[in-house]
Amino acid sequence: MKRVSILGATGSIGQSTIDLIGRDPAAYDLVALTGGRNIAQLASDARRLRADIAVTAHEDLLPELRGALAGSATEAAAGPAALVEAAHRPADWVMSAIVGVAGLAPGLAALQQGATLALANKESLVAAGQLLLRTARAHGARILPVDSEHSAIFQALVGEDASAVTRVVITASGGAFRDWPLARLAQATVAEASSHPNWDMGQRITIDSASMFNKALEVIEAHEFFGFAPDQIEVLLHPQSLVHALVGFCDGALMAHVGPPDMRHAIGYALNWPHRRPLPVPALDLAAAGVLEFRAPDETRYPALRLAREVMGEGGLAGAIFNAAKERALDHFIAGHLRFTDMSAVVDEVLSDLAATSDARNDAPTLDLVAHMDHLARHRADMATETRKL
Ligand code: NAD
Ligand code: MG
């Protein structure tokens, strides 16, 4: 039996992971499930899957979680330290699907106990890629990508000589506003930004898809995880979201990964790796899809892509600054304090202010230093929001 933990079990990726595991319960031994405010979901999944422990991120919800688990075999716990403790419990495979940099410390804890970390939480790679990779190496642990584009690249590289790779192309749907006139973007509402044309995902990543911050994070993620040089990573708009990524080789060949927009593909690949097993995903009918379109993204519409290149050029803790400023700008947009188009202006300002500081010039940061930089960048993003506040 494979011992499995799911961090962020109540979210979109967490629920898709539970869907796969729940189809073959005899094959898995559930160690820990974690969630946030949705205690009913967390408790019912923990009971059904007989998890050893269920953890909510919020300490004030511990009595409610205890009540919901009364009479079951599952232990209840709450708070950030309990999340880390749960992630550190021996397991073979841990899904990292908390949203935001909050997933970093639990992800590191999972690697420290030697688990294979299935990484959906791209923010932790952007904020602390080298720290994650170093921790994995030090503990003989492995990271498998779950972001669909990175899973696609990973699959296209199987059996290939990495030194023969000359380019990678990450595709982007273009999000909710890809066909809006530029002038209208400043007026975009939270509700409008929260609906994705092709993928059904959590609210934050859906808004990040509309602003292209999601793709910016993914470009940095590819740089950190695979070690591709910034100028080897291209982004193409592909409105159908069927080709997830392409890998180009020195002989000119391009290997594309094609599949329906269903995250159970990438999650299942990481769950079954190094094998392939059937997944409950409908076969793709390319004749019905008909046309696959590709076009270059317009960087005036998507300034986040330019910022991603700046982050890779700066190195050090620029990724932690970028991610924290982006998370905070997104909080302010969701709260109605900031225009959609001002999120990138805030991130740009914070990055310009902090990325060149001596603290940020550290290529082997500790978790404490990442947390310090994250804190500074959030504070700076609040100040940059103040001058633009609606
Ligand atoms: P979601 O909002 O649906 O779920 C997030 C999960 O994290 C929930 O379980 C929530 O309770 C938990 N959480 C939120 N804040 C937390 C905190 N401060 N501490 C601890 N737990 C917290 O998000 P999602 O769409 O499932 O995305 C999860 C991660 O996977 C993100 O990093 C996202 O970028 C990445 N990802 C998602 C998709 C997708 O299709 N949804 C695709 C690729 C990558
Ligand atoms: Mg993705």
Side-chain angles (χ1 to χ4, degrees):
M1 281 222 286
K2 197 170 192 161
R3 292 169 307 168
V4 167
S5 289
I6 305 172
L7 313 174
T10 55
S12 165
I13 293 285
Q15 289 293 298
S16 293
T17 309
I18 286 179
D19 175 73
L20 293 180
I21 283 172
R23 288 165 192 263
D24 192 6
Y28 303 100
D29 177 9
L30 260 288
V31 179
L33 292 183
T34 85
R37 300 210 165 271
N38 191 347
I39 298 297
Q41 185 73 58
L42 180 61
S44 92
D45 288 334
R47 274 179 187 277
R48 186 167 49 87
L49 299 170
R50 300 175 178 282
D52 298 341
I53 184 167
V55 188
T56 162
H58 307 284
E59 267 149 32
D60 56 316
L61 295 179
L62 183 57
E64 191 181 332
L65 182 60
R66 278 213 179 103
L69 288 170
S72 76
T74 303
E75 189 187 329
L83 281 179
V84 170
E85 192 277 327
H88 198 261
R89 292 193 176 198
D92 303 304
W93 189 89
V94 176
M95 167 53 76
S96 169
I98 289 172
V99 63
V101 79
L104 175 59
L108 286 169
L111 291 171
Q112 280 158 359
Q113 54 88 2
T116 290
L117 189 68
L119 193 79
N121 177 243
K122 65 192 86 187
E123 297 90 342
S124 59
L125 259 182
V126 171
Q130 295 314 303
L131 176 60
L132 273 168
L133 297 179
R134 230 187 317 128
T135 305
R137 271 196 302 274
H139 296 273
R142 185 183 291 279
I143 301 175
L144 294 174
V146 171
D147 213 349
S148 55
E149 299 75 5
H150 304 73
S151 173
I153 294 169
F154 190 76
Q155 294 182 48
L157 286 173
V158 171
E160 299 289 352
D161 173 2
S163 67
V165 175
T166 52
R167 59 196 284 224
V168 291
V169 181
I170 294 176
T171 58
S173 69
F177 305 142
R178 65 181 174 218
D179 300 319
W180 280 34
L182 264 185
R184 202 177 144 202
L185 283 183
Q187 268 67 56
T189 65
V190 174
E192 288 164 335
S194 302
S195 104
H196 196 283
N198 305 334
W199 294 91
D200 180 12
M201 310 185 285
Q203 186 192 32
R204 296 182 70 89
I205 182 174
T206 302
I207 301 175
D208 283 350
S209 297
S211 63
M212 217 49 127
F213 267 112
N214 180 50
K215 216 44 60 178
L217 293 172
E218 290 182 358
V219 166
I220 303 168
E221 184 185 6
H223 171 62
E224 292 291 338
F225 185 76
F226 296 103
F228 299 129
D231 63 1
Q232 290 182 309
I233 308 171
E234 302 164 36
V235 173
L236 270 188
L237 280 196
H238 168 47
Q240 290 78 20
S241 296
L242 297 176
V243 176
H244 303 303
L246 305 100
V247 177
F249 296 90
C250 55
D251 58 359
L254 271 175
M255 300 291 286
H257 181 283
V258 189
D262 187 324
M263 284 307 292
R264 291 177 303 176
H265 245 309
I267 297 167
Y269 185 79
L271 185 62
N272 297 321
W273 186 89
H275 308 290
R276 285 190 186 271
R277 298 214 166 85
L279 292 171
V281 179
L284 179 60
D285 182 349
L286 276 174
V291 179
L292 300 181
E293 298 164 88
F294 300 93
R295 58 179 194 259
D298 166 6
E299 291 206 359
T300 346
R301 183 179 288 269
Y302 301 119
L305 295 178
R306 171 181 57 78
L307 295 173
R309 304 213 172 269
E310 274 184 42
V311 168
M312 292 187 291
E314 292 282 354
L317 282 152
I321 296 165
F322 176 76
N323 179 66
K326 192 284 296 174
E327 286 194 28
R328 216 49 202 132
L330 178 57
D331 292 340
H332 287 304
F333 172 65
I334 292 173
H337 301 157
L338 208 55
R339 285 196 173 80
F340 180 77
T341 41
D342 275 344
M343 286 192 284
S344 59
V346 165
V347 176
D348 196 351
E349 194 176 312
V350 177
L351 200 56
S352 309
D353 259 26
L354 295 180
T357 57
S358 58
D359 268 2
R361 299 237 165 270
N362 187 323
D363 287 320
T366 58
L367 179 57
D368 282 349
L369 191 54
V370 173
H372 169 67
M373 212 26 102
D374 178 278
H375 181 76
L376 279 183
R378 279 170 204 265
H379 177 63
R380 193 63 196 74
D382 289 347
M383 287 164 56
T385 298
E386 213 40 56
T387 60
R388 299 175 172 82
K389 207 158 184 178
L390 289 173

